[in-house]
Amino acid sequence: KGVSWIKEVTVFLGDVTVQLLQDWIVKQVNDEAVTLPFLREPYIYIERQTNTILLNTNIGLKVLWSPRSHVEVSVPGSYKGHTCGLCGNFNNYYQDDLRMPNGRITLSESEFGNSWRPGENVDPCKDAGYQAKKGANTRCKILKSAIFKPCHPVVPPEQWYGACVYDLCACGANTDDCLCDTLEAYASQCRAAGVIVQWRSASLCGE
């Protein structure tokens, strides 16, 4: 409550609208659930992979959805310089990605996010209290540990650490799930950067 969390993803393409929901549910605009794999020619093909749902499109757009909180959107190089919004402008210059609808660049992720969808600036760690923040800091240190060290040179963990602490403060009793989601998201970025990290174990998010 009070913080952003991805509950569903809606994709509009041509005359097709698809909703990717929690619990592996995929619906069309008429609220009809579909079974996977699902093909709607010529626009989309949706399939379930191990822990994700992958939506492929005929224009090269791909959406990878982990039905608890994590989403990745990718487009081919032909879209370079032709995107805007929360995913940046794809000009290979990350310093200007936090550009708001008014054209101004901000250094604040929360101001950037709120500019595209106005919202309240929330600090869940302040509301959760000292012990919760201390526990979140302790648990999130695994991102900076030897387990993920091979990935640190290509995906610096500092920003992910801050996001991890934020999420764990907001999660309340569900910190185990939230920690695993954050670690999986970081590991996914590592894979995209060419580094495979075997981080799961019997004592950490299962193997």
Side-chain angles (χ1 to χ4, degrees):
K1 292 181 178 179
V3 296
S4 60
W5 194 263
I6 301 172
K7 295 178 181 177
E8 66 179 71
V9 179
T10 304
V11 177
F12 304 93
L13 184 63
D15 60 356
V16 178
T17 300
V18 175
Q19 290 178 293
L20 309 178
L21 306 172
Q22 300 284 324
D23 299 321
W24 307 98
I25 297 171
V26 178
K27 288 185 176 182
Q28 295 189 76
V29 69
N30 58 6
D31 212 33
E32 175 188 351
V34 302
T35 55
L36 302 183
F38 174 75
L39 173 65
R40 175 71 181 272
E41 293 184 314
Y43 296 112
I44 60 170
Y45 174 69
I46 310 171
E47 60 181 324
R48 178 171 175 174
Q49 299 183 335
T50 307
N51 291 312
T52 58
I53 289 174
L54 177 62
L55 184 150
N56 289 287
T57 73
N58 65 327
I59 62 170
L61 169 76
K62 291 186 178 182
V63 179
L64 194 65
W65 167 237
S66 175
R68 202 157 61 185
S69 66
H70 183 64
V71 63
E72 293 179 26
V73 180
S74 63
V75 293
S78 56
Y79 285 87
K80 190 166 289 187
H82 296 289
T83 68
C84 64
L86 293 174
C87 294
N89 56 22
F90 199 5
N91 65 354
N92 286 351
Y93 183 70
Y94 70 89
Q95 288 88 344
D96 68 352
D97 278 344
L98 299 186
R99 186 181 299 277
M100 300 184 290
N102 62 13
R104 190 167 64 85
I105 296 174
T106 177
L107 298 177
S108 165
E109 286 89 351
S110 60
E111 183 182 20
F112 171 66
N114 289 335
S115 74
W116 287 97
R117 182 185 176 103
E120 181 184 353
N121 221 342
V122 177
D123 182 358
C125 289
K126 184 178 180 181
D127 296 335
Y130 173 77
Q131 289 298 332
K133 184 175 182 179
K134 181 180 177 183
N137 275 279
T138 299
R139 300 193 71 191
C140 290
K141 282 182 180 173
I142 192 167
L143 281 167
K144 298 182 178 181
S145 72
I147 295 175
F148 289 102
K149 189 175 181 179
C151 185
H152 291 169
V154 290
V155 184
E158 285 75 20
Q159 184 177 353
W160 289 87
Y161 175 81
C164 178
V165 172
Y166 183 99
D167 285 353
L168 263 61
C169 284
C171 282
N174 300 318
T175 54
D176 286 349
D177 287 345
C178 291
L179 178 64
C180 293
D181 285 349
T182 299
L183 298 181
E184 176 54 42
Y186 181 72
S188 175
Q189 288 294 300
C190 295
R191 287 194 295 272
V195 179
I196 307 297
V197 181
Q198 303 294 339
W199 63 275
R200 293 183 183 269
S201 67
S203 60
L204 181 63
C205 303
E207 292 188 87

